[in-house]
Amino acid sequence: MRKKNKVSDIFFPFGNYEFREGITDDAIAFTDFLIQFIEIAICRFEYENLPEEINCYDLERYLFDRGRVIFFRDEVVDKFVALPMSGFDGRRDKYGHPISVNVKGDGDSNYYVQGIKDFVEIFNTPTATPSIIQVIDFAKHMYEIDRSIDVNVAAQKTPLLLKCEQTQRLTLKNAYMQYAGNMPVIYADKNFDPNALSVLRTDAPFVAPGLYNLKVQIMNEYLTYLGISNVNYQKKERMLSDEVNRGLGGVMANRHRYLLMRQRAVDQINKKWGLNIKVAFNDVDVSDIMINEREESLEEGVEFENE
């Protein structure tokens, strides 16, 4: 006999299967959005002439997760290294920057160097703030909206409350599983009494389209946070170039706070070690897309408002 779960069995009398399934779906949705958002973030920048021993995606991953990376030349192995700071001896210069730092590699490589004095700090933002916390928050909002869409769509066919006798609960559960699985025919045994069954429907309003539009807005907000160009095309035939430019103001402001820190660090690295590293933002020109789509719409007879 299955062991009772006490109070929880009042709400989940079928062994908590529905609850566990919902938790699993939530975890999958959240993880999917989080991975997608992280990958978008670490692919924003493209580097030229980086030392071959440094992977640009590892560099961006450390900046994304830690907010600060130490770039230095390891004289022992005669290679350049870019790793997050693991600590320092407490001494700072007059601007508050550490004078001597320690770095440690990931995994079981046991790579650990302390007392590095000849280095360049690469900041993710002017305050060396990592992006992971904000990205987790965005992923949380997106998965909540996405799961709400699923629930709202399912509510269009799913009853909220099924009332039956205790003796027919298992039979009802099996019948409902066939209903939820879109079975063309639902079978019941000869002892099933349809008069003992009552269904209370909530007639939930269909709000999935509005939730999807909110999902698009959150996605655009996330892209703006990363400095990636984005435009809402839902009413593109009414969008003026001034509106596009104003919409890109926040994008450019965020882009500069990331890009300028990397450019500053690259300039210092090039000057200190005689390298020729370049960094640029990897982005699509939205204005070109708007111009092309405007021309295509005009050819199809869609009229745009004049500026």
Side-chain angles (χ1 to χ4, degrees):
M1 180 179 294
R2 181 178 64 85
K3 184 179 180 179
K4 289 290 184 179
N5 289 329
K6 300 181 180 179
V7 177
S8 62
D9 271 343
I10 298 175
F11 302 99
F12 307 108
F14 304 136
N16 293 354
Y17 170 78
E18 292 83 357
F19 175 74
R20 292 196 303 271
E21 183 181 32
I23 291 296
T24 301
D25 290 343
D26 287 347
I28 292 174
F30 173 75
T31 303
D32 181 61
F33 280 117
L34 183 60
I35 292 175
Q36 176 186 353
F37 284 179
I38 291 175
E39 291 177 346
I40 292 174
I42 66 177
C43 291
R44 286 174 296 164
F45 299 95
E46 53 184 2
Y47 293 82
E48 293 182 14
N49 306 320
L50 264 180
E52 62 180 9
E53 58 266 30
I54 296 179
N55 186 303
C56 65
Y57 298 114
D58 288 332
L59 172 61
E60 283 299 319
R61 180 168 54 87
Y62 285 132
L63 289 172
F64 172 86
D65 187 54
R66 309 289 183 86
R68 182 198 317 246
V69 167
I70 304 300
F71 188 102
F72 69 102
R73 186 176 184 86
D74 189 336
E75 301 296 342
V76 176
V77 297
D78 193 26
K79 289 184 178 181
F80 289 101
V81 180
L83 288 173
M85 184 176 68
S86 62
F88 69 107
D89 59 9
R91 293 181 299 163
R92 299 177 182 269
D93 62 17
K94 60 184 177 181
Y95 297 106
H97 297 286
I99 297 175
S100 176
V101 299
N102 307 331
V103 300
K104 186 179 185 304
D106 287 339
D108 298 327
S109 62
N110 294 322
Y111 185 89
Y112 178 69
V113 182
Q114 60 181 347
I116 306 169
K117 297 181 179 179
D118 194 15
F119 63 91
V120 171
E121 292 179 290
I122 308 176
F123 287 175
N124 182 47
T125 67
T127 55
T129 304
S131 302
I132 182 64
I133 297 176
Q134 289 81 0
V135 171
I136 289 175
D137 190 54
F138 275 109
K140 181 175 180 291
H141 288 311
M142 285 292 282
Y143 105 83
E144 286 179 343
I145 297 172
D146 196 62
R147 293 289 291 131
S148 296
I149 293 174
D150 292 340
V151 172
N152 184 247
V153 171
Q156 304 309 304
K157 72 168 187 176
T158 305
L160 177 65
L161 177 63
L162 300 177
K163 182 180 178 181
C164 67
E165 297 294 335
Q166 181 70 26
T167 57
Q168 294 194 357
R169 177 176 293 181
L170 180 59
T171 302
L172 178 60
K173 179 187 175 184
N174 293 331
Y176 175 75
M177 289 176 63
Q178 298 177 56
Y179 169 77
N182 296 315
M183 292 287 291
V185 179
I186 297 177
Y187 299 96
D189 59 40
K190 62 181 181 180
N191 296 323
F192 181 74
D193 182 8
N195 297 323
L197 169 66
S198 61
V199 179
L200 174 62
R201 303 190 66 92
T202 59
D203 294 325
F206 186 56
V207 297
L211 290 173
Y212 181 80
N213 290 336
L214 179 60
K215 180 179 173 181
V216 172
Q217 293 175 11
I218 296 295
M219 184 65 181
N220 287 341
E221 183 180 348
Y222 174 66
L223 295 176
T224 298
Y225 166 76
L226 294 179
I228 300 175
S229 302
N230 61 91
V231 174
N232 191 333
Y233 292 100
Q234 291 178 350
K235 295 185 178 180
K236 60 184 178 183
E237 70 278 4
R238 299 181 182 178
M239 186 169 292
L240 306 177
S241 59
D242 286 347
E243 294 174 334
V244 176
N245 293 333
R246 286 196 296 269
L248 293 178
V251 171
M252 300 309 297
N254 280 298
R255 179 182 302 183
H256 286 159
R257 72 189 182 107
Y258 296 111
L259 181 58
L260 292 179
M261 292 298 98
R262 288 158 175 80
Q263 288 177 334
R264 171 182 173 275
V266 163
D267 291 341
Q268 293 179 347
I269 292 170
N270 291 339
K271 182 178 179 181
K272 182 181 289 289
W273 286 287
L275 301 177
N276 188 30
I277 302 174
K278 298 179 181 179
V279 59
F281 201 89
N282 187 14
D283 192 23
V284 177
D285 192 341
V286 175
S287 60
D288 288 344
I289 296 177
M290 291 297 298
I291 291 173
N292 292 335
E293 293 203 356
R294 176 170 177 163
E295 291 175 349
E296 293 174 359
S297 298
L298 289 174
E299 291 176 357
E300 295 172 359
V302 178
E303 295 184 358
F304 282 72
E305 295 182 2
N306 295 325
E307 298 182 15

